[in-house]
Amino acid sequence: MSGGLYFCLISVHGLIRGHNMELGRDADTGGQVKYVVELARALAALPEVERVDLLTRQVIDPKVSPDYAQPEEELAPGARIVRLPCGPRRYLRKEVLWPHLDAFTDQALQYLRRLGRVPDIIHSHYADAGYVGARLSGLLGVPLVHTGHSLGRDKLQRLLARGLKRENIEQQYNISRRIEAEEFTLDNAALVIASTRQEIEEQYQLYDNYQPKRMVVIPPGVELDRFHPPGRGWRSPEHLENELRRFLVDPKKPLILALSRADVRKNNRALVTAYGEHPRLREMANLVVLLGNRDDYQAMEKESREVVAEFLHLVDRHDLYGHIAYPKRVEPNDIPDYYRLAARRRGVFVNPALTEPFGLTLIEAAASGLPVVATRNGGPVEIIANCKNGLTIDPMDTDAIGEALADALSDRARWNRWARNGIKGAHDHYSWSGHARRYLKAVQRLVKPRPKAAPRQKSRLPTIDRLLVTDIDNTLIGDSNALAALIARLREYDGQLGFAVATGRHIASARRILKEWNVPTPDIFITAVGTEIYYGPQKTADAAWQKLLDYRWDPDALREALTHFPGLRPQPKAEQGPFKLSYLVDPERMPPLAEIARYLRRHDLHAKLVYSHQAYLDVLPTRASKGSAIRYIADRWGIPVDRTLVAGDSGNDLEMLRGNTLGVVVGNHSPELEILRRQPRVYFAQGHYAWGILEGIDHYRFLDDEIVVPGERPEEEAEPAP
Ligand code: GLC
Ligand code: MG
């Protein structure tokens, strides 16, 4: 059907494909991967939905399957995976993707522009996609829906509780980057979807932007056609029986089944100990632990390696040979049969995790007619309350775990009831079609009628083939010889070069200073730190841009809130704009920016704080920046961002220097820009002022036939399909 809704899902990290998902292959390829693929399929199956694109990172790496290099993969009619190049081609773990997310955003914009269609909803998954989704949603004016999957502040608390040092956590997990991305996502998201109440009340509650009114609980679905009870005709597969026979002396006994990644949090240590220390339980049942796949466990990542080593040690210490099975390989297709086999043997599924954010495996077990014993920390409590099919336990109490397992296995009538309840509960509460319907109901009210495209203006912009965007003060101007040399150089270029300035000044002041310095009139003025855009000789303001900026923007309340902080003095009236509150800063007295940001968010006020020259603070709508303005212009006029050279010297230039643009930081830059040192596509020039810009032009061969980014391989085969 046409005229239906278009959903754009974003899930950046991990290895995502529609078939033979490699769940558990690494820490980034797990439940979330499955969730987003199933969600895409379930949504596309709804009659109201026309198209679902799942955007993820393209990975071109001989170490992983070439499937992950394919620009597109069809998941179902109307649903596809779209893989976009982002940073290096090789597979990267999510903690190191941060510097490449602006490039991902630019690729996504380019994809949507080529598609010629703007999504009705953007739905991001996890903090990295949240950052990308928030940027896209702001640039396109599309509502953002977000699912966290797991949350940085919660993780930080847990790691600190385990005794890790803050700086080590920072190094390994880039945790503050993640948390800031999550807060930024919440600044922008129209709706947050959680799997459980507990996730909202205990985890989102830790955020400055905690607004439960913008959050809903919609538990994920389970593929009920795969997870069904062992019917009359069902026989357990030969190879499965054979595998278990390698471990178990009496394979016909009831079977306690555990299934998880090799992760300390999954707490299999307590399970093996509980089983080992409970002689009656050892007599009653076998224990089968599926820990994902391993070849040589010594070659696994440190954490998984330690978990497996400890596991093997405990098996030996409690001398569990013959009673416990722990196959080295588990094919995804075997998992439903493991549940069925455990159900057939009148066993129980156990999840002893220290905390379990949701507990998808419990629902799979329930749907298979297998009763459960699970941690009382997190999602399982709600699942067991819905399904009435088992017991909860304190994961720290190994005696209680052993007792609960023995108890669950001992009452035949109750076992039968639990098995039936689980099947019914899974179908009533956790089908994907049910999920998709509930989801659609929750997001439908956010969908806005598409505004008509802004009328096209007469302009040379659509014909330009590259664009120079430069800051004015201390970048373009400051050295008149350099400026004259730059202008001469640009005049020499015989192609179609666009010229734009991006400044903190307001338009009148920008025009005045350019005249003073004899700079030719730019094609585009981005002024007031990106909150205003003017085109052409008539300097027509772009009203649609301002409309986009007006999102959660409450200047009166912000002005009031900012009176609470010392060291801030409003700039003169002429410097204030409808979307720009500007202050003069006394750096000695102003509290850290993070503190101001926290205060505003806690009062449900949303703004971007831009600090420049250690002297100015601009408070803008969260969607505003010089960088966003450039992307808006690129999208509107079809100017390729990767053929846009951007030059700047101070804090308000930060955002426009990130991403797929060709960034140039001039030699005389202020210290705020130092954090761009390791950012891809940012060139730090030696030359000051316009000498720096000239140096940048040479660095990228910006005015040659072929622009090059030194250090990057040409991307021809990495191009996404239109
Ligand atoms: C310009 C503007 C000022 C702003 C500063 C930093 O100097 O005139 O209002 O605060 O840039 O963006
Ligand atoms: Mg400047």
Side-chain angles (χ1 to χ4, degrees), residues 253-487:
K253 276 191 199 172
L255 201 153
I256 301 167
L257 179 67
L259 164 63
S260 69
R261 265 182 295 120
D263 179 330
V264 254
R265 271 203 292 152
K266 299 298 182 186
N267 200 26
N268 285 303
R269 137 207 310 168
L271 174 62
V272 182
T273 308
Y275 181 75
E277 291 177 350
H278 200 301
R280 192 160 56 89
L281 185 60
R282 289 169 63 159
E283 271 317 297
M284 288 167 86
N286 292 317
L287 178 59
V288 177
V289 184
L290 307 178
L291 281 177
N293 289 326
R294 57 184 177 274
D295 293 317
D296 179 351
Y297 79 85
Q298 296 279 7
M300 291 169 88
E301 286 167 23
K302 181 162 176 279
E303 192 179 310
S304 317
R305 181 173 74 225
E306 287 171 2
V307 168
V308 175
E310 185 188 28
F311 178 89
L312 297 175
H313 166 74
L314 288 169
V315 170
D316 190 78
R317 191 168 98 200
H318 296 287
D319 194 4
L320 297 177
Y321 298 101
H323 300 276
I324 181 169
Y326 37 97
K328 273 169 79 84
R329 316 220 120 254
V330 193
E331 293 309 319
N333 287 338
D334 286 339
I335 289 176
D337 283 320
Y338 270 109
Y339 288 117
R340 284 190 275 270
L341 180 64
R344 170 70 45 93
R345 297 273 153 80
R346 307 186 69 78
V348 60
F349 181 78
V350 58
N351 177 338
L354 296 176
T355 59
E356 181 58 68
F358 181 62
L360 207 53
T361 51
L362 292 183
I363 301 169
E364 294 172 353
S368 310
L370 179 62
V372 301
V373 168
T375 179
R376 67 178 185 205
N377 299 337
V381 178
E382 281 164 59
I383 295 172
I384 295 177
N386 282 335
C387 294
K388 301 183 183 59
N389 68 334
L391 304 171
T392 57
I393 39 123
D394 172 359
M396 303 300 277
D397 185 345
T398 49
D399 290 343
I401 297 175
E403 268 312 303
L405 288 170
D407 182 13
L409 292 168
S410 50
D411 180 337
R412 205 179 162 86
R414 190 182 55 181
W415 191 98
N416 287 337
R417 200 167 62 242
W418 279 351
R420 279 195 309 274
N421 289 352
I423 298 164
K424 180 164 188 313
H427 284 258
D428 288 351
H429 298 275
Y430 304 106
S431 72
W432 268 114
S433 57
H435 177 91
R437 273 194 307 275
R438 254 170 277 172
Y439 174 99
L440 190 65
K441 209 166 147 225
V443 304
Q444 230 161 5
R445 64 182 171 80
L446 306 174
V447 174
K448 294 182 266 182
R450 285 268 119 236
K452 286 213 189 75
R456 292 272 143 144
Q457 327 191 3
K458 264 222 177 80
S459 164
R460 62 182 284 261
L461 288 177
T463 65
I464 65 172
D465 79 332
R466 59 199 75 191
L467 176 67
L468 169 68
V469 186
T470 174
D471 168 48
I472 299 179
D473 295 271
N474 298 314
T475 305
L476 183 64
I477 61 177
D479 179 324
S480 41
N481 291 335
L483 179 59
L486 174 67
I487 293 171

Side-chain angles (χ1 to χ4, degrees), residues 471-475 613 626 648-650 652-653:
D471 168 48
I472 299 179
D473 295 271
N474 298 314
T475 305
H613 293 295
K626 291 181 181 181
D649 75 295
S650 80
N652 71 15
D653 303 315

Side-chain angles (χ1 to χ4, degrees), residues 368-632:
S368 310
L370 179 62
V372 301
V373 168
T375 179
R376 67 178 185 205
N377 299 337
V381 178
E382 281 164 59
I383 295 172
I384 295 177
N386 282 335
C387 294
K388 301 183 183 59
N389 68 334
L391 304 171
T392 57
I393 39 123
D394 172 359
M396 303 300 277
D397 185 345
T398 49
D399 290 343
I401 297 175
E403 268 312 303
L405 288 170
D407 182 13
L409 292 168
S410 50
D411 180 337
R412 205 179 162 86
R414 190 182 55 181
W415 191 98
N416 287 337
R417 200 167 62 242
W418 279 351
R420 279 195 309 274
N421 289 352
I423 298 164
K424 180 164 188 313
H427 284 258
D428 288 351
H429 298 275
Y430 304 106
S431 72
W432 268 114
S433 57
H435 177 91
R437 273 194 307 275
R438 254 170 277 172
Y439 174 99
L440 190 65
K441 209 166 147 225
V443 304
Q444 230 161 5
R445 64 182 171 80
L446 306 174
V447 174
K448 294 182 266 182
R450 285 268 119 236
K452 286 213 189 75
R456 292 272 143 144
Q457 327 191 3
K458 264 222 177 80
S459 164
R460 62 182 284 261
L461 288 177
T463 65
I464 65 172
D465 79 332
R466 59 199 75 191
L467 176 67
L468 169 68
V469 186
T470 174
D471 168 48
I472 299 179
D473 295 271
N474 298 314
T475 305
L476 183 64
I477 61 177
D479 179 324
S480 41
N481 291 335
L483 179 59
L486 174 67
I487 293 171
R489 183 76 188 277
L490 298 178
R491 286 230 160 93
E492 267 166 35
Y493 179 67
D494 60 2
Q496 293 291 322
L497 172 69
F499 176 48
V501 289
T503 176
R505 293 170 179 257
H506 56 78
I507 179 80
S509 141
R511 296 181 76 167
R512 185 163 9 88
I513 185 98
L514 294 183
K515 205 171 230 158
E516 251 168 56
W517 286 71
N518 290 320
V519 177
T521 305
D523 300 300
I524 308 168
F525 282 84
I526 298 169
T527 62
V529 200
T531 61
E532 296 173 19
I533 301 174
Y534 301 86
Y535 306 104
Q538 290 81 32
K539 302 294 158 294
T540 344
D542 191 322
W545 174 236
Q546 299 224 322
K547 225 168 148 192
L548 266 180
L549 294 186
D550 197 359
Y551 181 74
R552 293 191 186 155
W553 176 242
D554 189 346
D556 295 332
L558 283 165
R559 229 177 269 124
E560 207 286 316
L562 288 161
T563 59
H564 294 276
F565 295 97
L568 294 181
R569 199 153 44 85
Q571 292 180 16
K573 213 162 178 170
E575 297 295 347
Q576 312 294 339
F579 295 96
K580 170 176 176 276
L581 311 179
S582 289
Y583 293 83
L584 295 168
V585 171
D586 176 352
E588 307 281 291
R589 291 177 57 226
M590 182 181 78
L593 278 189
E595 197 175 299
I596 302 178
R598 187 178 321 129
Y599 180 89
L600 297 180
R601 282 166 170 161
R602 290 195 174 165
H603 289 78
D604 201 10
L605 291 171
H606 304 276
K608 177 165 287 166
L609 304 178
V610 181
Y611 186 42
S612 303
H613 293 295
Q614 304 181 286
Y616 305 115
L617 180 68
D618 300 312
V619 179
L620 316 174
T622 64
R623 292 176 167 184
S625 71
K626 291 181 181 181
S628 300
I630 289 175
R631 277 146 187 98
Y632 170 83

